[in-house]
Amino acid sequence: MMRRALWQGLVSGAAGVAVMTLGEKVEQRLTGRPDSYVPARVLQRLTGMKERPGRQPLAVNWAMHFGQGIVLGVLRSVMAHAGLRGPSASAKFAVVRLTNDQILENATGVGAPPSTWPRAELAVDLLHKAVYAFATGAVADALAARSGPGPGQRHAAVLPGRHADVGPLPRETTRSR
């Protein structure tokens, strides 16, 4: 399962970040919002690269922007393979995507907590990260579905919901096909 989740997650994350980036570019054209160089600044701080004032190197910016989205897709793929699929799972994943950004941006001193942002800026960020999460989830779910239901889904088929008197499925039924 993990080998499939890895490659499918990388594909899912790439698709999600491509959709998010396309949406960002359309939104920027409509609103006039400038490019953000926060990804480049975070990567520079994380790796010890030389920092520059003003506009950042596009390659460094894209490396962090796309790299983060692609790598996080693996987690969404693992979720899908475990049986956590659909819009509810993608909504949970959106929180993970936002949290990942905020940990890196705030820990490096590049960003500030979202509670301090102007509301319009926060809304735009939330929208784009949700687009990423749901696009990534759609691809991850579709790819994982080719292997059949995940262990969680097979367990729910025994008796939907959480029940203290329903034990785990036998090991041989929890392995992905």
Side-chain angles (χ1 to χ4, degrees):
M1 173 178 98
M2 292 310 284
R3 191 174 15 244
R4 266 196 311 272
L6 175 62
W7 77 260
Q8 290 177 2
L10 296 174
V11 169
S12 301
V17 78
V19 170
M20 177 182 72
T21 304
L22 180 62
E24 287 171 333
K25 294 305 173 189
V26 169
E27 173 266 318
Q28 286 177 304
R29 284 246 167 140
L30 295 173
T31 65
R33 184 175 64 86
D35 286 337
S36 169
Y37 294 104
V38 169
R41 293 180 194 288
V42 169
L43 186 57
Q44 289 165 347
R45 290 271 173 103
L46 289 172
T47 61
M49 293 169 67
K50 182 178 179 174
E51 296 182 46
R52 306 166 185 224
R55 193 176 180 110
Q56 301 299 305
L58 188 59
V60 176
N61 214 44
W62 285 127
M64 187 65 174
H65 175 79
F66 282 97
Q68 229 181 325
I70 291 169
V71 170
L72 279 175
V74 175
L75 176 60
R76 184 59 181 85
S77 180
V78 169
M79 291 171 67
H81 278 277
L84 301 170
R85 299 180 187 162
S88 176
S90 291
K92 292 171 188 163
F93 182 61
V95 173
V96 171
R97 178 66 173 94
L98 289 159
T99 302
N100 177 76
D101 264 9
Q102 290 310 305
I103 289 170
L104 294 175
E105 292 172 15
N106 283 271
T108 58
V110 171
S115 59
T116 66
W117 298 7
R119 292 297 166 237
E121 191 175 324
L122 181 59
V124 167
D125 193 54
L126 291 172
L127 172 67
H128 291 308
K129 296 309 186 314
V131 166
Y132 163 80
F134 281 83
T136 301
V139 175
D141 290 349
L143 291 173
R146 299 182 328 175
S147 300
Q153 292 166 312
R154 290 192 295 275
H155 188 271
V158 173
L159 183 62
R162 295 177 74 175
H163 302 277
D165 58 335
V166 177
L169 295 175
R171 281 189 197 271
E172 59 275 1
T173 64
T174 60
R175 300 202 198 306
S176 263
R177 296 171 186 142

